[in-house]
Amino acid sequence: MAQHQFQTEVSRLLHLIIHSLYSNREIFLRELVSNASDALDKLKYLTVADEAYKSISFDPRIDISFDKDAKTLTISDNGIGMNEADLIDSLGTIARSGTKAFLEKLAEDAKKDSNLIGQFGVGFYSAFMVAEKIEVISRKAPETAAWKWSSDGKEGFEIESAMRDSQGTTVILHLSEEGIEYANRWSIEDIIKRYSNHVAFPIYLTYDEKEWDDKGKEKSSKTKTDRINSGTALWRRAKTELKDDDYNEFYKQLGHDSDAPLHYIHTKAEGTLEYSTLFYIPKKAPFDMFSVDYKPGVKLYVKRVFITDDDKELMPTWLRFVRGVIDSEDLPLNVSREILQQNKILMNIKNASVKKLISEFKQMADAAVSGSDETKEKWETFIEQFNRPLKEGLYQDFANRDAIQELVRFKSTTVEGWTSFADYVSRMKSDQKHIYYITGGDEKTLKASPLLEAYRAKEIEVLIMDDEIDDIVIPSLHSYRKETPGTDGKTESQTWELKAVNRAGADEELGEKKDKAAEKEAKPVIEKLKKALGDRVKDVKLSRRLHDSPSCIVADENDPSIQMAQMLKAMGQASMTDIKPILEVNGDHPIVAGLKNIDDEGRIADTAGVLLDQALLVEGVKLKDPADFVKRLNRLLAG
């Protein structure tokens, strides 16, 4: 018998589960049945695609039984099974990105977040909510050796050789006092029908059926085995046969989520290609949505035979939040996962699915405009959770860029909540030629930026782009194009260029003519500031966009923005340290105008330094030398 220690994160997880999770204990059975279903899926695929497995006698099923006196609950399958190494890897470690974030969230409010179990491949451990000890006996196909894994969920686990007649896995739960309530027929049936009714394999429950006489004494007892799930592929059924509850319960089993989905899309295509798809949009973004090794949410079936659930090619990266199923009639059953990436049939299904999803998103957006409070809240939730990946689609999915442009949303200087490019254009002044936007740290900081003063004075709306990827995505768009029906029945197209207000040349569109006299008068001050700041700035200019503030910073047309430079530097781009801002000053401001008659180089240097540093601070930039800024400010205050 080999003794093993749990990986640190497993120990933390088990501690939280055993000591904190009590609000939704029944999901343990959903998770164990889901694991069994996955094991059956994998073996079913191999018996079709791999010669080494075709000789295996395989009648897929999941069996559940219980013994109330012994306080045990057993879940067994005849799927792919596990060997010793698999047991250690699968039940002794958690090799999933996002698990630390999950643990931290769980620790904050364990009871509230118990429904998150399963989203990180940690569903098996939820069984410790109801069990004081768990034994797993497994034999991997086509091997002959079986192994037994056992643990009390504390320090570690034990593995020893065991006996099992055929391939598959048996999980034996030694129930705790909190878990004994699940050792009965009615609880098990209720949980299975609620969470796992549409698992594609039959689930059988074995129990003792007893008869009683008229005096309440047990007359006889016989063991019965009944199938307790429908076992139909829900996505194959006609939409007219299904209700929202059917879709919602299938999603909970598919997506390891206790909440109903935000939206679902069920499609059956016939013709040149025959396939069925069932896609779900979660109410909350997956925890690993922004991890490089995120878990894909779409499963591929061929003629109801599971092929894969870990192929990131089934959906474009920007739609990685989508959960669901693709089931094709046209792919060969023995298609390899390597061939999938270049398969023309699958590529056509993928492209059609993406267009269908975009169409559904557009309908959600349209419904929110004049619909009920419920439809408005639904769209608001969608944007709050998935606006950022939609923006990634603008950058990644050139074929669908025009359609995605209509979906993305932004904050604005003139309206509350979210707004679109189309909404912005509908509010533009008649003589306005461009769509203006500002990028940077956060909405509050951007709305207070001195860069907006002239636009606010002229009542020109500016879009607030406070997502860090906006600096990458929006410049790549260059413009927004809108097509509208013309009077002659033809489609008319109009295009507006996107202009960043934190760029050096953006103020040229404000209609402010250069005041030659003002420039001439300010020239000595500008020269003093340039000399004082030296190579800290790329240039110093008289501003046409400032009304109240003394200074602001902008980026040169050919340079990345200040925020982009910071982001690239954080990613290891050392050359970004050389990017210097352009300082613009308000010649009418007393601080700037007051420098005209000052010749004290020390005071000029202090004033110049404070003007630059405060402009950086307003834009949310961290100062390189805060102490120097404080010293300069103190000297100026002291006079």
Side-chain angles (χ1 to χ4, degrees), residues 525-596:
V525 174
I526 298 296
E527 294 300 325
K528 290 178 181 180
L529 291 172
K530 283 184 181 181
K531 181 180 178 182
L533 291 172
D535 61 3
R536 287 191 65 190
V537 295
K538 194 165 193 175
D539 199 1
V540 179
K541 295 181 178 179
L542 186 67
S543 180
R544 288 180 290 177
R545 67 183 101 212
L546 294 174
H547 282 216
D548 302 315
S549 301
S551 62
C552 67
I553 54 168
V554 295
D556 185 82
E557 288 285 354
N558 300 315
D559 288 341
S561 68
I562 302 299
Q563 290 76 21
M564 172 66 81
Q566 286 184 312
M567 187 168 63
L568 292 173
K569 185 179 178 182
M571 294 167 60
Q573 299 287 337
S575 61
M576 290 301 105
T577 57
D578 298 326
I579 302 298
K580 297 179 178 64
I582 294 172
L583 178 68
E584 291 191 359
V585 294
N586 180 356
D588 296 327
H589 197 279
I591 293 177
V592 178
L595 291 174
K596 182 179 179 181

